Amino acid sequence: MIDTKEQNPASHTPILDFDERADRPVPEKPQGGGSPAAQGEKGKKKSDLGIRTVAGFVYFVVTAACVLLSDITAMAYLAAIAGMCAFEFYRMMKRDDKLVNEWLGIAAAAAFPIVAFFFGLPGIVIVASVFLLALILWYVCWPKARIIDLCLTVFGAMYMGMSLSCLLVVRMDLGALWGGVTMLALIASVWLNDVGAYLVGRAIGKHRMAPIISPKKTWEGFFGGLAFSVLFWCGMSFIPAITLSTPQAVGFGLLCGVMGVVGDLAESRMKRNVGVKDSGTIMPGHGGMFDRTDSLLTVSVTAALCLYLGGCIPNVVI
């Protein structure tokens, strides 16, 4: 006798792990949890961190070697850095349809540390004067050039080249050994400020400092960076070649810490104005050279003024 009752189709359906909506087998979950995309992203972050670490280490070794070896190597290092920063700055301006004279500006930026080495501060004045006269001639002879193009060309060369020349002047005034140590210490103070801001901001940072210009910066990180800067400047008071009292170390550390953040924010605003994330790609994981030295540009000038006006170092190069 045939059973006419409706049979349960499920009783004859093979037990397979199917996604009913897509009518295909459900992919096995990867071991260790997380989707393949998440694991790939995690692996990419680890890879990027490794590249960033290696690039940072190479940058540190090259910087330390050039700065400590001699005045000539320090001059060549600063001239190269100034030229690369100027190149990246002018390239950003051209993305914003500015008709800057990049080659004249790059040449002037690289020339500032060179003439500071051979002629001191008078040489810097000479290069600045020749550069301005050459730009005026270019502006008159090229009808397409606008006043904004002229001003940006001047700014790029002087901001990169003249600022970094201050470090070389300090080094040469203090002599071979302690001049190199002091110059490297000034550069390291910028790095320590960044490290302090990062560590404190990551640990307790809640209040955003500049949400439009640099959303990741917090006031907690800012004050943490200042603390690191002050402590480092107090340590610099033990360098035999400079006369630096504790109140001066605290004041100079605070001022240089603030100006380092100003330089960072200034470059961030420039990049946002032209719509780029990084100024360049010369340093994997870090961006461009301008990205790496944005704070150093303002700290170089600030530190030199503090040390000279505070009577902390002799004035020989002038």
Side-chain angles (χ1 to χ4, degrees):
M1 183 176 180
I2 301 175
D3 188 355
T4 58
K5 293 182 181 179
E6 183 180 21
Q7 298 184 9
N8 183 6
S11 62
H12 300 283
T13 303
I15 301 176
L16 293 176
D17 191 7
F18 268 72
D19 184 339
E20 296 178 357
R21 291 171 298 177
D23 196 26
R24 65 178 184 273
V26 176
E28 295 183 1
K29 292 184 180 180
Q31 296 296 327
S35 65
Q39 287 192 338
E41 184 68 21
K42 187 176 180 181
K44 183 178 183 299
K45 288 183 178 179
K46 288 184 178 180
S47 177
D48 291 344
L49 179 61
I51 294 174
R52 181 181 176 88
T53 301
V54 172
F57 178 75
V58 172
Y59 175 69
F60 167 76
V61 171
V62 172
T63 298
C66 292
V67 168
L68 295 175
L69 190 57
S70 68
D71 288 341
I72 295 178
T73 56
M75 175 267 292
Y77 169 80
L78 292 175
I81 297 297
M84 286 187 282
C85 288
F87 170 77
E88 292 175 356
F89 171 78
Y90 292 134
R91 187 173 60 175
M92 287 195 301
M93 294 304 103
K94 292 181 76 173
R95 284 178 59 96
D96 199 35
D97 296 327
K98 301 300 187 295
L99 304 176
V100 292
N101 190 328
E102 57 182 322
W103 299 116
L104 188 57
I106 293 170
F112 277 115
I114 297 174
V115 297
F117 171 77
F118 286 105
F119 306 107
L121 291 182
I124 294 178
V125 175
I126 292 173
V127 168
S129 302
V130 173
F131 176 52
L132 289 175
L133 291 175
L135 278 180
I136 289 295
L137 180 62
W138 165 74
Y139 178 68
V140 170
C141 296
W142 196 41
K144 291 184 179 181
R146 302 160 296 180
I147 190 65
I148 186 64
D149 305 322
L150 177 68
C151 294
L152 286 174
T153 304
V154 173
F155 173 78
M158 292 192 170
Y159 187 50
M160 312 303 172
M162 189 179 290
S163 298
L164 292 177
S165 297
C166 295
L167 290 175
L168 186 61
V169 172
V170 170
R171 189 194 195 286
M172 295 171 64
D173 273 349
L174 294 177
L177 176 59
W178 296 116
V181 171
T182 303
M183 179 178 169
L184 184 60
L186 293 177
I187 297 174
S189 71
V190 177
W191 297 342
L192 264 293
N193 191 350
D194 290 342
V195 170
Y198 172 77
L199 294 177
V200 175
R202 184 175 182 180
I204 60 173
K206 293 181 179 179
H207 301 87
R208 302 208 177 276
M209 180 181 179
I212 297 178
I213 301 176
S214 186
K216 293 184 179 181
K217 279 186 171 49
T218 63
W219 283 107
E220 292 83 356
F222 169 72
F223 288 114
L226 289 185
F228 273 61
S229 178
V230 168
L231 290 175
F232 193 83
W233 271 82
C234 289
M236 286 176 57
S237 63
F238 293 98
I239 298 177
I242 61 178
T243 305
L244 188 63
S245 66
T246 301
Q248 284 179 319
V250 172
F252 295 168
L254 287 172
L255 186 57
C256 288
V258 170
M259 292 309 298
V261 175
V262 170
D264 189 350
L265 292 176
E267 197 239 0
S268 296
R269 185 172 181 182
M270 293 176 196
K271 291 189 295 185
R272 286 190 176 274
N273 286 344
V274 300
V276 297
K277 182 178 181 295
D278 297 317
S279 65
T281 57
I282 193 171
M283 292 188 65
H286 295 265
M289 189 56 66
F290 191 19
D291 293 319
R292 195 70 195 128
T293 58
D294 50 6
S295 297
L296 182 61
L297 296 171
T298 48
V299 171
S300 298
V301 180
T302 305
L305 289 174
C306 288
L307 292 174
Y308 280 113
L309 296 179
C312 302
I313 58 178
N315 197 343
V316 179
V317 173
I318 296 178

